[in-house]
Amino acid sequence: MKPEVIAHRGFSGIYPENTLLAFQKAVELGVDGIEFDIKMTKDGYPVIIHDETVDRTTDGRGKVGDLTLPKIKELDTGIRSGKQFTGLKIPTLQEALRVIPEKVELNLHIHEVYHPELLEKILAVLREEKRNNFYLAISPSMIPIARKINPEVKICNMGSQRQPWEYIEETRKLACQRLQFFTPSYEVTAEMVKKAHSYGIFVNVFFADTREDMCKYIRLGVDGILTNYPDMLILLKEK
């Protein structure tokens, strides 16, 4: 039933973002999908973290790309959210895949405008783990690389997000299956959703964390809502 409930960085409204705990709690709720961000360590491992640095979410400092996986694993990514979360670690992509079942669709967000090696590593891990229920949320410059590696890969265009009408046309021209309206920059309208749907594009919105916003996007007929409070959205859908 529309819209899909997509847990943004897991159940991140309550649990530390992009951790195995946040993913497990989202799965327990029965979400349709989970969104998370992927960076690459100095020694070439895809890990789940949003920022370019570890400063905000861990007890360490430095750029993810300057740290090896063993150094990353020394960091505590739970303690900043409260003592009860002390000891949580930044997960690798492989670790995340092993706690999220195949039935939960993965929204894999790669922020880098151009990073072929990271993309290749991610798709290799997905192949190794036999995962098919996912799509890549990537910039237009990464799309040809993704399709060269896997011509069947599903893509959410993350290009001109801040100019909605241009974004819809860009997504159509790039033949992407999804777009993700960026609600902090503009008000999503029924006309925008209708136009995207006329091209057969699946419409995600980022984001809705209040009942008011969730109800608004449900009324607009969007296909997926990213939220830090998936429990709230699930309850609204049940009503």
Side-chain angles (χ1 to χ4, degrees):
M1 184 193 303
K2 287 202 313 182
E4 291 183 356
V5 178
I6 305 169
H8 179 242
R9 306 180 198 171
F11 191 172
S12 59
I14 301 295
Y15 305 96
E17 67 178 60
N18 282 330
T19 60
L20 296 183
L21 177 62
F23 299 154
Q24 289 167 328
K25 293 300 183 180
V27 170
E28 289 171 11
L29 287 174
V31 299
D32 300 295
I34 294 177
E35 181 271 355
F36 55 79
D37 315 278
I38 309 174
K39 298 283 190 293
M40 193 166 74
T41 63
K42 184 178 182 179
D43 47 350
Y45 289 89
V47 292
I48 314 305
I49 184 170
H50 176 272
D51 298 359
E52 185 181 352
T53 74
V54 300
D55 300 15
R56 177 178 64 87
T57 55
T58 79
D59 58 351
R61 295 186 66 81
K63 291 185 176 181
V64 177
D66 291 339
L67 301 170
T68 63
L69 184 61
K71 287 293 183 184
I72 289 279
K73 285 297 187 182
E74 290 176 6
L75 305 177
D76 190 318
T77 195
I79 194 168
R80 289 188 182 274
S81 299
K83 290 183 179 179
Q84 69 271 34
F85 299 120
T86 298
L88 294 178
K89 301 297 181 182
I90 295 173
T92 63
L93 174 58
Q94 189 173 59
E95 288 168 342
L97 296 178
R98 291 180 178 178
V99 302
I100 304 172
E102 172 71 15
K103 67 180 181 179
V104 177
E105 190 171 40
L106 303 176
N107 176 341
L108 306 177
H109 192 180
I110 304 169
H111 292 262
E112 283 77 356
V113 174
Y114 190 77
H115 198 326
E117 186 182 358
L118 174 57
L119 191 52
E120 289 167 4
K121 296 265 188 179
I122 290 168
L123 290 171
V125 171
L126 290 163
R127 281 196 305 274
E128 289 166 13
E129 295 296 319
K130 298 180 172 58
R131 296 299 287 256
N132 297 303
N133 192 19
F134 70 91
Y135 54 95
L136 302 175
I138 54 178
S139 66
S141 57
M142 293 276 268
I143 292 171
I145 302 164
R147 287 177 171 157
K148 185 174 181 180
I149 299 168
N150 179 359
E152 304 302 316
V153 69
K154 292 183 290 183
I155 294 170
C156 178
N157 173 35
M158 300 295 278
S160 304
Q161 277 186 299
R162 287 170 171 78
Q163 293 83 37
W165 293 103
E166 178 184 329
Y167 181 43
I168 294 167
E169 296 300 328
E170 177 187 67
T171 302
R172 178 185 66 83
K173 289 174 184 175
L174 291 170
C176 294
Q177 292 85 356
R178 294 194 186 220
L179 57 69
Q180 194 160 286
F181 285 130
F182 190 74
T183 66
S185 289
Y186 48 81
E187 185 78 15
V188 176
T189 66
E191 290 74 22
M192 292 175 191
V193 176
K194 184 177 179 181
K195 187 65 173 179
H197 282 164
S198 75
Y199 293 144
I201 297 169
F202 191 105
V203 176
N204 283 356
V205 289
F206 170 81
F207 63 106
D209 277 351
T210 67
R211 285 178 171 80
E212 180 183 3
D213 283 345
M214 290 173 183
C215 288
K216 175 176 66 178
Y217 296 131
I218 290 170
R219 287 194 301 270
L220 290 178
V222 305
D223 302 297
I225 298 175
L226 277 73
T227 179
N228 298 309
Y229 295 96
D231 56 333
M232 188 189 307
L233 182 52
I234 288 170
L235 285 173
L236 279 175
K237 284 180 61 178
E238 290 174 351
K239 291 179 180 178

